[in-house]
Amino acid sequence: MIPATAAAQDMNIAASRLRASGVDTGSGCTTQTDPMDGRFAMDRAAWCRVMTQFAGSMIPPMLTPAGTRGVRGIYVGFESWLTGIDNDDGNAVGDAWFRAVEGDGMGSTDRSRFADSVLAWGRMNVRKGLPFGFELGTNVGYLANTSYWTLGLEIRWALWEGFREEVGWIPDLAVRGSVQTLMGDGEFNVTVPSIDLVLSEPFVVGNSVEITPSLYGQVAFVFVDSELVDITPETDTFTDCMPNPATPPRDDPSFGVPPYCTAGGAQLNDNVVFPSLRSTRVRVGGGLQIRYEWFTLLGSFMFDAAKPGDLDGDLPSDLPRQWSVAFGAGLTL
């Protein structure tokens, strides 16, 4: 009945901190400003660096082999994955992270004292087998040390599976389409769909344990959009404007233009929309599934085949490749 005190978590991203002194004259992911005392512009380059790595951590993890469990098969499990980010404050990418995250409140107003080196996601995942080699899944995830949640959906189609005799040995082959979308932040939206290819082959050990190594290829598409962000939240907009509530007489130039500020009103120009990001990420990797009766253990390692800036010339060229380690456990019924 009594509401809890609202508080940001340490690794929540505060886009309002990504600002530079002066008036914005840049475009895309290039920060350019003309100096002007007391004014701020959005730091486009820092925004692109932070959000590219953050979106990279949201790329749907790959853990499952190509083979399905049939129409009656149901998988329920918990999965987690760690994605590396650059938190070295000696370079531009790490410096952007130190400026972007909320921190523990003990740092300055525009910079935190620390930034994690990995982003750790966890999710509950449910998958159900369908006819003709299809499998449909849904999940809900949470990012540790933040207030961010995700919703996910995936569909997998096993093109080849179960060929062990007659036509000869053929590994299982499947394609997967999946998407993750962010919830829990009012300053930006992130959605990451992907198209994946899985190649795997199961081996039975001791007539009871099934071990399935897999190879993965993945193409992810990053969609990041900014909402309206106040880059000077420490300044009260109403006080800075002191608007005149009277209806202005027609042809009276002293009222200016809406909202008819009687004071300076320059702070109204500090509400900005950061550039949208549209980029492609290509990842490769491998994984292993161990299954004993109903119990399943999974693990995988994925990494970028190319730097983000190599695939999208609009992104800063100093963004490094990212890696992800995923693991999970569940019941296959």
Side-chain angles (χ1 to χ4, degrees):
M1 299 284 298
I2 301 176
T5 302
Q9 300 296 316
D10 292 355
M11 284 298 290
N12 274 18
I13 295 174
S16 58
R17 292 187 173 191
L18 299 177
R19 64 187 189 182
S21 299
V23 178
D24 181 26
T25 59
S27 63
C29 289
T30 302
T31 298
Q32 294 178 334
T33 59
D34 286 337
M36 182 176 288
D37 292 341
R39 289 295 305 277
F40 288 100
M42 54 182 162
D43 191 335
R44 298 170 178 267
W47 159 264
C48 292
R49 291 182 174 105
V50 169
M51 297 313 299
T52 296
Q53 291 206 322
F54 179 80
S57 76
M58 280 182 55
I59 296 176
M62 299 190 67
L63 281 166
T64 56
T68 65
R69 307 318 301 184
V71 177
R72 297 183 179 180
I74 298 177
Y75 169 84
V76 180
F78 176 80
E79 300 167 355
S80 181
W81 68 99
L82 309 175
T83 303
I85 60 174
D86 193 336
N87 69 336
D88 181 2
D89 62 354
N91 61 50
V93 181
D95 176 72
W97 273 106
F98 273 83
R99 293 164 53 200
V101 297
E102 293 280 1
D104 56 5
M106 302 295 290
S108 64
T109 57
D110 57 359
R111 187 179 183 85
S112 65
R113 296 191 302 164
F114 68 90
D116 293 345
S117 59
V118 297
L119 297 178
W121 288 93
R123 70 178 186 178
M124 290 298 300
N125 194 6
V126 179
R127 298 194 305 272
K128 176 66 175 70
L130 300 173
F132 307 109
F134 284 93
E135 193 173 69
L136 183 66
T138 185
N139 58 77
V140 57
Y142 173 74
L143 179 58
N145 208 18
T146 72
S147 58
Y148 299 149
W149 293 81
T150 62
L151 286 178
L153 184 68
E154 65 179 69
I155 185 168
R156 185 159 54 101
W157 183 23
L159 301 173
W160 298 95
E161 63 174 334
F163 289 94
R164 306 289 181 261
E165 300 176 356
E166 298 178 357
V167 297
W169 176 85
I170 300 178
D172 297 337
L173 176 66
V175 293
R176 185 188 75 163
S178 57
V179 62
Q180 300 252 112
T181 187
L182 181 72
M183 301 182 297
D185 196 285
E187 292 186 330
F188 56 86
N189 305 296
V190 183
T191 300
V192 185
S194 72
I195 300 174
D196 317 319
L197 184 67
V198 186
L199 189 69
S200 66
E201 177 66 18
F203 300 93
V204 178
V205 179
N207 295 321
S208 59
V209 178
E210 182 184 77
I211 299 177
T212 309
S214 303
L215 294 176
Y216 302 127
Q218 184 175 54
V219 179
F221 307 95
V222 172
F223 296 86
V224 180
D225 293 290
S226 166
E227 300 292 342
L228 192 65
V229 177
D230 182 3
I231 57 175
T232 55
E234 69 279 2
T235 302
D236 182 73
T237 305
F238 184 86
T239 302
D240 186 69
C241 176
M242 293 300 293
N244 188 339
T247 301
R250 184 174 297 178
D251 301 327
D252 186 347
S254 64
F255 278 86
V257 297
Y260 310 117
C261 292
T262 61
Q267 205 271 338
L268 293 172
N269 296 318
D270 293 336
N271 295 315
V272 302
V273 176
F274 286 90
S276 296
L277 300 184
R278 302 289 185 267
S279 62
T280 303
R281 305 285 290 273
V282 177
R283 305 202 307 173
V284 295
L288 186 70
Q289 174 184 277
I290 301 175
R291 182 171 177 261
Y292 174 73
E293 295 184 350
W294 290 359
F295 302 98
T296 303
L297 297 176
L298 311 102
S300 70
F301 177 76
M302 301 287 293
F303 59 93
D304 287 337
K307 295 170 61 176
D310 294 340
L311 300 177
D312 186 346
D314 292 335
L315 295 177
S317 60
D318 56 0
L319 281 164
R321 293 181 175 90
Q322 285 183 278
W323 55 264
S324 293
V325 175
F327 44 89
L331 298 176
T332 303
L333 308 177

